Every structure is written in structure tokens, then in C-alpha cells.
Amino acid sequence: MPPGAPLLLGDVVLALETVRREAAEQNKPLADHLRHLVVHGVLHLLGYDHADAAGAAAMEAREIAILAELGVPNPYRDTM
């Protein structure tokens, strides 16, 4: 990799039809659900995981904080 080149962490891939269906099922705006899934995916690329309770709590807290800065309500409000 050339000096100064951006570090590539991986890809975040979303299936739009699935995201639309999930947003409708969860009664959430499509844009909010898309933002949440992108944030969730990027956090995975940065090493966050939800394989255990402690990891899930840390990841969810980080997601909620980032999404709040983007004006998106807590996506876990109905499931917590």
C-alpha cells in the first residue's frame, strides 16, 4: 500500500429490498434504518461485536450514541 493511502477495512453491503421490508415491519423510517445498518456494519469493521452480552451492550451503546448525533432515535427502544 502506498504511503498516505487510505486504510481499507472492508465493505458494508445492504440488500435494499430487505432493508425496506425490515423498516416497514419495525415501523421505522427507511432512512433511519439504513443509517443504523451502515453504522452497525462499520462498527463491525472496526472490531465491535455482539457475540456476548458485554460486547452487545458496548456495541449497542456506541450505535445509539452515533445515531443520536445523526438525529436518529434509539433503534433498540422497542427491544430493550
Side-chain angles (χ1 to χ4, degrees):
M1 185 179 314
L7 175 63
L8 302 177
L9 300 175
D11 299 315
V12 176
V13 179
L14 302 173
L16 184 56
E17 289 306 316
T18 301
V19 177
R20 276 191 182 125
R21 180 181 42 79
E22 289 175 349
E25 289 171 356
Q26 297 172 26
N27 198 30
K28 295 177 181 176
L30 176 61
D32 287 358
H33 193 47
L34 277 167
R35 287 182 184 101
H36 176 211
L37 293 175
V38 170
V39 167
H40 185 91
V42 170
L43 287 175
H44 273 299
L45 293 175
L46 294 173
Y48 286 82
D49 202 347
H50 44 81
D52 59 41
M59 187 170 183
E60 288 177 13
R62 192 72 185 119
E63 286 175 58
I64 292 165
I66 292 167
L67 291 168
E69 290 184 31
L70 298 172
V72 177
N74 178 350
Y76 299 105
R77 68 188 177 279
D78 297 331
T79 60
M80 292 180 110

